[in-house]
Structure formats: structure tokens, C-alpha cells
Amino acid sequence: MTPAAQRSGRTKKSAAGREPAAKKTAASKIVAKKRAASKTAASKTAAKKTAAGKNPALATYRKKRDPAKTPEPMGSTTRGTRSKRSGPAFVIQEHHATALHWDFRLERDGVLVSWAIPKGIPLDPGNNRLAVHTEDHPLDYGTFEGDIPKGEYGGGTVILWDHGHFECEKWNEREVIIRLHGSRVSGRYVLFKTGGRNWMIHRMDPAPAGWEPMPEEIRPMLATPGSLPASDRGWAYEFKWDGIRAVTYVEGGRVRALTRNGNDVSDVYPELRGVGQQLGATSVVLDGELVAMDDEGRPSFSKLQNRMQVRGSAQVRRAAASTPVSYLIFDALYLDGRKLVDESYDERRSVLQSLALDGPNWAVTDSFTNAQGQKVLDVARSGGLEGVVAKRRNGRYQPGRRSDTWIKVKLTRSQDVVIGGWASGKGSREQTFGALLVGVPGPKGLDYVGKVGTGFTEDQQGELLGRLRALTRTSSPFAAAVPSAHRAGATWVEPTLVGEVRFTEWTRDGQIRHPVWRGLRADKDPTEVVRE
């Protein structure tokens, strides 16, 4: 074979040898393209999953939270809770943050659209409540309960208060109409925008059957002075506290406190706010006594006097720190849409005990239902208390009335009095007054019962004189003539200020012997004063 032929054969063989290799290369390219396409598809699927897992609607939510510091869910699921039988979910979470509120969340488009409602969901169609629109939350937040660390966004305890499903009738950027189906809240509601992030929530259905709104005011029931009942049967005994009466109205975690004469002292005693925090969504009206304790743990009216006159947020904070008060609760008058004033004492006490109220500045007082009144009175005496109050166990609560179903038995003599004037001071008291001229309302007007010249501090004298000068009048406010020895150098005033004195006994002519001033009773009206 010639060299040319040999070259030609090799060329053919080489070409033949290269053909399968070329086919293999082409096939590899096709496989590589398929693999690349598969990777691209997988990448796109993963990207979609990632994008879904990082819903843009949750960007604000995630920006405010650090998953390394808070146990709150970050949105690990994009599945909703909708089912053919139930529909989209709603959840209400009680949030004990800086300010107690309720977070109301509705499932929509893969997130929980959320509002913060400071006073909770209303049950009264006549009571609209503020709802502040907040950031969308992930769906798995709907089952979250726990503690968000202090210092973190929303720090505090979150409690799952209610959950269920809802039907949506209308949803746009300014109005949402829904029907809730929950274990604690059901019915038709509307949320409507009022401006900025502020919305209002309104119940469109009537209130639940049998539900009654919280009364604006329940005047406190008063006890009649007297002795221990002849028989202990049918009576309960409570200690009598040396403080001022306060009826508190707790709704949506907020506390409003009214004294006997209807004065709102909620801001004067910030210690009461803790009662609302403990009760949460429970709506209740409570009756009790505000008391300040001395260094030995006994009620001190003089210490309470220091708190009664304080006003202004800064002064109140300082006074609350230096002279804290306690709220001693002895009755429940309303609970979650149910008035209790017509229930028996035993039933009201049962309701009160069920609330388990106990905190650093509040507690439920003891009630002795199977005890001898004399033994309870002896305990009160040994503890330095004022006495006891005997209450009929089958008795109803009589708002604003002084009833013999409550009998106060005092260990020390004290008397509320109305100031009718003052006598000039001498010596160290030349610049102020020497004594107060006081009386007690009687059938014909204000009966004079004597003058009080001891028990005042310098601060009390100065404060009293300033108030009395603004009430001066030309004639005596007393129904009968004041003894000439007491009348000399007297300045008369309008009989509007009430005070309290302690004394040893009543004289035959109806005056108090050896009275000692205890302080003003800003919580009492002159018309309430009776001769003890």
C-alpha cells in the first residue's frame, strides 16, 4: 500500500473514529442543558419558596424583632388556617406590655392583619373602642403565648384570650365588616378608620342575652353605728379599717376610683392601676377601703391625710413612694355584665373570692362567717384596729343607704363633724386659729357640738386656715346659739367642710368631751354626717 493509500485509510479510520465521539459530545451537551434547566427550575422553585417564606407584608414585623432575642414566631409557615367548615381565623391576645391592651388579628392573604385595642373587644353596641392598626403578623403568631423579654419591642406577657373563625362581609382600606365565631366573643363587628393608624371597633349586634352595661356610679352602702348582734347566727364579721371608702370600676384593665361623695381619685392613688392589670379583660365594680399603714403595720389615718391632699403627677409619684396606700376590698357589685347588688352578701363574697385578687397594694379582706362576733372584736382590739362591721349574710347591697343590715361596732369613739367657724389663736397660734367650732346635722339644722383645739400639725393649720378664709360669712351657721365662751372672737364659715375627731364621751348637753382633731374628710359630704 502506497503511503498515499495508507494516509487515506488512516484518514477514513480517524473520521470513522471521530463520529461516535462527536455524537457523544452532542448528547452530553443535551444532558448538560437538561441538567441546567432542571437546576434553574429548582432554583426558581426555591426562590419562590424563599420569597413566600419572606412575605413582603411581614417586612415591618421582622424589622422590629430579633429572632435571637424573642421567642415570637418569624413566619415559618405560609399555610393558612382556612378550612371548608370554618373559614379564615381570628385571634385575640391579651398583651401585658407597657400598657395593657388586646391584639385583635384577622387572617387575610397569608398574614394576620392586626389592631391593638386598649380596652378590649366591646360587648355593648353603644360603646365604640379605639383600635390602633399595627403591622401584619405571621400566621403562626395565632397560637403564640409567652413572655417577650423586657427591652424588646412589645416586651411583656402575651396570653391567648380567644380564637375562632370569621365570615367577611366587607373589606377595604377604610372599613372591615366581619362576623366572629369564638369561644368568648361572637357576633357582627365593624372596624372603621378614623385617621392615621387609628380605627374604631363597633359591635353591630345587640349585646349578649342577659348582659348589662357597667353602671356609671354605685353609691356606697353605709353601716349603722351600734353593738354586736345578740346572736351570731346569720351574720358575718369583717374588720373595720381606718381609711377612706372607694368604689372602683375596672374595665379593659383600667381603674376608675370614686369616693363616697363621687370624687374621682384614680390619679391620686396610682397603686390601684395594678388591680386592672391583674384583672385584664374582667369587668368588675369593687367596694373597699383605701388605707395607709404605719411603721408597725397598722392603719394610720394621719398618714393617709398626707396622701389625700396631694395633686399633680410628680407629687403623686413621690407621695406614693413615701406613703403607699393599700386597697382592702370587701365587696363585688358587678361582674362581666351581671349586676350583683341584689344578690346576698354570701353570693357577692363568693364572686369576690373567685377573682383571687392579691397584689403588692391590694387584697381581699377577711370575712368571718362561722365565728363569734366578740372574739373577732377582741382580735381587732389586740391589733389596734377601729372595730368590726357585722353584715347580714342574706342581705342585699343597698347603694347610698345607711342600713341596719350592716352594723359598725367601734372600739374607739370618733365622730364626723362639720366645721362652722374658728376661734382666734393666741401665743404661738396668733397667726392662725386656736380652735375649730364644729357641729353635727340635726332635725333643726347644724347642732353645735363643741370646739376642737388639739391634734393639728402646723401644716394642717395653715392649709385649713386658707380654705376656711375662702368660706367666711357674717352669721353663725349653727341652729342654736353657741355658748358665749366659745362665741367670743369667732369667725363663721359656710358649713361645707367635714372633718373627723376622736373624743372620750358625749356630755349631757350634747357636746363632745376632750376632742382631738384627726383630719379633713374630703371623701364625705356634710349631708352624710350623723351623730354616732
Side-chain angles (χ1 to χ4, degrees), residues 226-237 371-374 377 388-392 404-409:
S227 305
L228 289 171
S231 169
D232 295 315
R233 186 175 181 181
W235 291 89
Y237 298 96
Q372 295 178 8
Q374 186 59 55
L377 190 62
V388 300
V389 181
K391 298 183 178 181
R392 282 199 178 275
D404 59 5
T405 59
W406 285 13
I407 300 174
K408 57 182 177 181
V409 184

Side-chain angles (χ1 to χ4, degrees), residues 68 76 94 116 217 367 392 412 523:
S76 60
E94 187 175 299
E217 183 177 1
S367 172
R392 282 199 178 275
T412 58
D523 58 317

Side-chain angles (χ1 to χ4, degrees), residues 225-279:
S227 305
L228 289 171
S231 169
D232 295 315
R233 186 175 181 181
W235 291 89
Y237 298 96
E238 299 174 5
F239 292 127
K240 188 178 186 306
W241 305 98
D242 197 6
I244 62 171
R245 195 78 169 273
V247 176
T248 54
Y249 304 76
V250 186
E251 190 170 28
R254 274 69 179 172
V255 178
R256 181 169 59 99
L258 301 184
T259 60
R260 278 174 51 166
N261 53 5
N263 289 334
D264 190 330
V265 292
S266 311
D267 293 337
V268 180
Y269 303 104
E271 296 95 327
L272 294 174
R273 294 171 190 164
V275 179
Q277 288 280 338
Q278 181 179 347
L279 286 169

Side-chain angles (χ1 to χ4, degrees), residues 186-201:
S186 294
R188 192 163 175 255
Y189 285 84
V190 59
L191 292 124
F192 56 93
K193 192 172 185 179
T194 59
R197 295 192 303 141
N198 289 346
W199 293 55
M200 299 295 289
I201 183 168

Side-chain angles (χ1 to χ4, degrees), residues 64-221:
K64 293 181 175 182
R65 293 163 177 83
D66 183 348
K69 295 180 179 179
T70 176
E72 297 167 277
M74 291 294 136
S76 60
T77 178
T78 59
R79 293 183 300 167
T81 55
R82 183 191 301 269
S83 72
K84 291 181 180 179
R85 289 187 300 173
S86 63
F90 85 88
V91 62
I92 302 171
Q93 286 157 317
E94 187 175 299
H95 193 169
H96 291 257
T98 304
L100 175 64
H101 63 275
W102 284 261
D103 293 312
F104 180 54
R105 313 191 195 282
L106 300 174
E107 178 186 350
R108 188 169 178 85
D109 296 335
V111 297
L112 293 174
V113 182
S114 301
W115 291 264
I117 303 179
K119 292 187 176 182
I121 308 296
L123 294 178
D124 182 359
N127 184 11
N128 294 348
R129 289 184 175 172
L130 174 67
V132 181
H133 190 243
T134 61
E135 71 276 9
D136 293 341
H137 281 53
L139 293 177
D140 43 358
Y141 207 101
T143 57
F144 174 69
E145 284 189 298
D147 294 319
I148 301 171
K150 186 177 180 180
E152 295 302 304
Y153 177 75
T157 301
V158 176
I159 300 168
L160 188 59
W161 189 80
D162 196 14
H163 63 90
H165 68 278
F166 71 94
E167 303 162 35
C168 183
E169 296 182 22
K170 182 178 182 180
W171 192 305
N172 61 43
E173 61 182 14
R174 301 199 64 84
E175 187 178 36
V176 176
I177 300 177
I178 51 176
R179 182 173 292 278
L180 302 178
H181 300 277
S183 57
R184 302 180 80 165
V185 179
S186 294
R188 192 163 175 255
Y189 285 84
V190 59
L191 292 124
F192 56 93
K193 192 172 185 179
T194 59
R197 295 192 303 141
N198 289 346
W199 293 55
M200 299 295 289
I201 183 168
H202 165 75
R203 182 178 174 89
M204 302 176 77
D205 281 347
W211 183 89
E212 295 181 86
M214 176 181 288
E216 280 295 315
E217 183 177 1
I218 301 177
R219 303 288 287 187
M221 180 176 172

